[in-house]
Amino acid sequence: MYVRHGKGSRGTGPKRRTVLTLPEFDWVVDGLTHWVDQGRPRVVGDWETDILWPTERRTRIGGRYLNDRFAELRDEAGLPEELVLHSLRHTYVTNLIEWGYSEKFVQDQVGHTFASTTAIYTSVGDDYKNRVLADALKRNTEDRDGD
């Protein structure tokens, strides 16, 4: 997916980048295709636009609307208030790391200039930590057995 108006750095305008679809998220392609083919035309009618998520007023859906709507859905589902829309971005980064994607790939996917910024987003789960520790211990034990 080509992101035309992605989040920019402080003091800069929107950042353009390409975000790749991944096998773990192959359902996204079907969802976006369904939206573009069936949902979006109901909003835009015969109006010519390249906006993926337009409003009835022919503008882009804004961040505030998305945050407010996410909060409504979160509350309806009975989820904790600490869960915000931006949490999905953190979860995405964490999942990519846990699935074994390289740090550089993850950094590029989310559009970070510095790896240290991506590291802030990462909060791996206990299962992943245990798996990494077990693998390290296994390698260490195998190295000693081979001596």
Side-chain angles (χ1 to χ4, degrees):
M1 175 186 282
Y2 181 68
V3 178
R4 184 172 166 206
H5 293 281
K7 181 180 174 187
S9 302
R10 284 189 185 157
T12 67
K15 189 177 192 179
R16 296 174 184 230
R17 68 176 186 279
T18 301
V19 178
L20 302 174
T21 55
L22 306 171
E24 294 84 359
F25 291 106
D26 60 353
W27 54 269
V28 170
V29 175
D30 292 337
L32 283 173
T33 300
H34 183 78
W35 165 250
V36 168
D37 292 345
Q38 296 181 29
R40 188 174 167 276
R42 292 179 180 203
V43 175
V44 299
D46 59 0
W47 170 48
E48 289 290 323
T49 182
D50 62 350
I51 299 173
L52 182 59
W53 308 107
T55 68
E56 295 86 4
R57 295 182 180 161
R58 299 185 176 186
T59 60
R60 285 180 171 75
I61 290 179
R64 182 175 178 172
Y65 171 81
L66 292 172
N67 286 326
D68 291 347
R69 186 67 179 125
F70 183 85
E72 288 174 18
L73 294 169
R74 175 204 62 214
D75 294 345
E76 286 175 17
L79 297 171
E81 287 186 16
E82 297 81 30
L83 182 64
V84 295
L85 183 59
H86 197 75
S87 301
L88 298 178
R89 185 171 165 88
H90 286 260
T91 302
Y92 177 67
V93 169
T94 298
N95 284 335
L96 293 181
I97 295 295
E98 290 185 355
W99 292 331
Y101 287 94
S102 74
E103 292 174 22
K104 177 63 175 151
F105 176 81
V106 175
Q107 180 182 338
D108 290 344
Q109 277 289 96
V110 293
H112 291 157
T113 304
F114 303 104
S116 58
T117 306
T118 307
I120 294 169
Y121 277 66
T122 307
S123 176
V124 295
D126 289 338
D127 290 344
Y128 177 77
K129 292 175 190 176
N130 291 336
R131 193 169 57 246
V132 169
L133 180 59
D135 290 346
L137 290 171
K138 184 178 177 183
R139 280 193 311 274
N140 191 15
T141 310
E142 289 172 354
D143 288 345
R144 289 185 181 176
D145 290 343
D147 289 340

